[in-house]
Structure formats: C-alpha cells, structure tokens
Amino acid sequence: MSLLKCPNESPEKILKLFDEIYLKTRIFYLLKTALDLNLFDYLNDFKSAEDLADMLNTNLTLTEYMLRIFTELGILESCVKYNDNTTYRNTETANIYLKKGSKFSIINPISYYFENIKNWENLIDILKNKDNFSKTNTNNFFPEVVKRMADECKCWELQKVLNYISKYEEFKNAKKLLDLAGGHGLYAIGFSMLNKNLKCYVFDLPNVVEETKKFIEKYNAKNVSTIAGDFYKNDIGNDYDIIFTSYNPGGKNPNIAKKVYNALNNGGLFINKQFFSEKEERIEDYLNNMEWNFSKPAGLEKSRLRFTFKGDLNFNDYLKYLENLGFKILEVVYIPELLGFKDNSPAKMIVAKKL
Ligand SMILES: C[S@@+](CC[C@H](N)C(=O)[O-])C[C@H]1O[C@@H](n2cnc3c(N)ncnc32)[C@H](O)[C@@H]1O
C-alpha cells in the first residue's frame, strides 16, 4: 500500500525553507507593528512590559514577547531587577534611528519596505497584467521620493560622501557647484557648509525644486539656489567647477555625461554616484530586478535591470565614454566601502576631472 511507503525524498528541504521564511516574515511584521505603535519613542528609559502595555493599551503577554524578541535582535536592552521584574529600553541604535522624533529617524525610508511588500502580496495581479501594470505618475513620484531619500542619506551616506569629497583641492578651490538632479538638495547644502566661498545650484524638475526650497530654508543655506528644468531637454547652466550627481536616472546616460562635460570648467570635477546594477547572480538581484519591473513611471523608459534606463551604458562603457569625452578618471569609490558596512548595494562614485 502506498500509504505505508515513504515518498522517494523527505520534505525536509521544503519545510526548512518555509520555516526560515516564516520566521523572518513574522519579525518583519513585528517591526512594522512596533513602528506603527511608536514603541521606541516610549523606551528612552527602562520600562517593564506592564508599563508599556498600559501606555500602549496592548495585550501584556504579547507585549512582553515583543520586547523579548527585540532584545534578542539587539534593538532593545533588558535589565532584570531584584524582584525578577524585567525592564527594557532602547539600545543606542534604536534611540538614534527608530524614534519618530529623532533627528536621524530612519522610519520614513524604512516605510518603503512596508509599502513595497504590498506588491508582493498582489504579485499574481502584477504577473497576470503583463504590460499593463502600474503606471506611476512621475508628477507625485519624485517629490515624495526625495523626502524619503533626504531622511535616508542624512543617516550616514551624506556625511561620508561630503567628508570624502572635501579632501579634494579642486573642491576647496571651487566657486560654483551644480548638484544635478539633487532632489532634496542636502548634498549641495552640505557642500556649501564645507566651503563658504562656494555658490551651489540644485537642478531638478520644477515640482521637485519646490521641495528643495523647503530644505534650503530649513538649513538656512544662503549660498544654495535652485534651477528648475528637465536635464534631458533643458540647459543645465555652465562655468561649474564641480558637478555632483547622485542616484539620478540620467547618471549612466551618455548624453547627460556630454552635457555635464560641456557645462564644466577645464580642470573641474564630475562626481557621479550611481547604482551600477550589472550582475544578476543572487536571489536578491532577481528579486530586486523583479520589483523594478513592477511599475512603469510615465516619462521614464526603464530597462530590465534595477536602476537602469533606456540608453544607459554599463559601468565599463560609461568610464570609457567619459575618457573619450576628455575626462580623466581620478578614482572610483565603492559606496559600501565608504559607508563601512556591506549593504548589498552596487553603488559606485566616479570622480572624473575635465582635462
Ligand atoms: C532618486 S532621486 C535622487 C535624489 C538625490 N540626488 C539623492 O541622491 O538623494 C532622483 C532625482 O532625479 C530627479 N530627476 C529625475 N528625472 C529628472 C529629469 N529629467 N530632470 C531633472 N531631474 C530629474 C528626480 O526629481 C530626483 O530628485
């Protein structure tokens, strides 16, 4: 009887796979819930599970487990008192990044995961819709993206990049800088703080520079102005000593590189920080590339690989193109190395000098 005979292979592999994934998924939703409850805003000081359950109006047993799990994950730390009552508080990392009111709150960038996961829950619709899937309207898309990116970059990358570039003599002597597709403008604002003689311009789409202006005002950046335009169609200005650009859709495009070359003074620097997604070899790459292909923002012609657009050059061809234009490549900085931690990012910063 087939009931008495085991199948040819055990289900171990399948069950382990689901167990591992289910474990991580539950933690994902636990973190989401904690952020929805502003849990970390309550945990500057040690509190017991009872205190917290009272404050948050949540179930005591579940609250206690949640606190224990976050302690195991290194987000909270615990202290056992003489009466065996355990209390919990934020670790330094949670204090810095996970509180809503923190200067370096990373909650807004993280909320992107919670938004994106909804696409995976509806994957069947996206898959079956073939080419008619979600057409994002770029009108609202970029002004929202840049607010999130401002919160994200100011949590580490911004300072690392500014500090790195400020070592260049060309930067110290520069008078005019362009932050091309600068969005929030925090890079330009930071550069203007590091070199008081520098006049900085943030070039971006008209509806995005309205957001840039708010950041310029917030940081009282007197030497930073905006230029509204579309870098594919409009003039980007000229006589720049430095053109900086970060994660913009034209960052691998030869025509934009040519515009940059023409807009720079001789001896000027082109600093271009971009994702160069070339390898497709890990599950993460396949997943990221799938996600990239979920939507088609109006006005942008995406290519198949994440963060690539029609007409983009790959990394080596882009470098060759810059050299043929008349740039000397001074260095290529690997962003994970600059950040000091591996974040699976294929980002690189090219520093090129117009000869
Ligand atoms: C991913 S954001 C990067 C923002 C910022 N540079 C950073 O690294 O945090 C891409 C930026 O490119 C801008 N952008 C996209 N298409 C553009 C175009 N055709 N002309 C000018 N700016 C554009 C967007 O408005 C947005 O500010």
Side-chain angles (χ1 to χ4, degrees), residues 21-81:
I21 293 165
Y22 188 46
L23 172 74
K24 296 233 163 114
T25 310
R26 282 179 291 176
I27 295 174
F28 178 83
Y29 284 108
L30 201 60
L31 283 164
K32 179 181 185 309
T33 308
L35 293 176
D36 286 346
L37 288 168
N38 298 325
L39 177 88
F40 303 102
D41 285 77
Y42 293 86
L43 288 173
N44 277 335
D45 312 310
F46 279 112
K47 292 207 173 60
S48 67
E50 285 84 357
D51 292 340
L52 261 179
D54 264 359
M55 286 170 165
L56 299 171
N57 200 14
T58 49
N59 176 287
L60 175 58
T61 310
L62 299 181
T63 305
E64 188 165 9
Y65 278 120
M66 186 155 81
L67 294 171
R68 281 195 203 167
I69 294 165
F70 289 148
T71 307
E72 285 301 312
L73 289 172
I75 298 175
L76 297 180
E77 54 195 25
S78 64
C79 169
V80 183
K81 282 204 196 140

Side-chain angles (χ1 to χ4, degrees), residues 154-213:
K154 77 174 191 219
C155 284
W156 203 254
E157 186 164 340
L158 175 81
Q159 297 84 349
K160 291 281 174 187
V161 167
L162 293 176
N163 190 30
Y164 193 85
I165 291 173
S166 65
K167 74 174 188 183
Y168 275 99
E169 283 306 311
E170 288 88 344
F171 174 77
K172 291 178 195 159
N173 298 324
K175 300 267 178 300
K176 189 174 171 188
L177 177 147
L178 174 68
D179 183 358
L180 183 62
H184 41 75
L186 290 189
Y187 285 99
I189 294 169
F191 285 131
S192 78
M193 289 170 174
L194 287 166
N195 175 349
K196 302 281 182 218
N197 299 319
L198 194 59
K199 190 93 191 78
C200 296
Y201 297 87
V202 180
F203 182 101
D204 213 300
L205 298 166
N207 56 352
V208 176
V209 296
E210 293 312 310
E211 293 303 321
T212 321
K213 287 176 189 162

Side-chain angles (χ1 to χ4, degrees), residues 142 146 149 181-184 204-205 208 229-232 246-249:
F142 280 123
V146 301
M149 290 194 77
H184 41 75
D204 213 300
L205 298 166
V208 176
D230 175 336
F231 55 53
Y232 292 118
S246 160
Y247 306 138
N248 89 65

Side-chain angles (χ1 to χ4, degrees), residues 91-115:
T91 55
E92 177 74 353
T93 316
N95 263 333
I96 298 174
Y97 297 112
L98 294 179
K99 287 194 311 194
K100 211 173 162 194
S102 156
K103 197 160 69 165
F104 297 108
S105 172
I106 210 164
I107 295 177
N108 189 16
I110 285 174
S111 63
Y112 154 89
Y113 293 115
F114 306 131
E115 275 306 306

Side-chain angles (χ1 to χ4, degrees), residues 277-287 289 305:
S277 331
E278 268 135 40
K279 284 194 206 130
E280 256 197 318
E281 51 194 23
R282 303 163 310 160
I283 290 183
E284 291 99 296
D285 301 327
Y286 299 139
L287 289 169
N289 291 340
L305 298 184

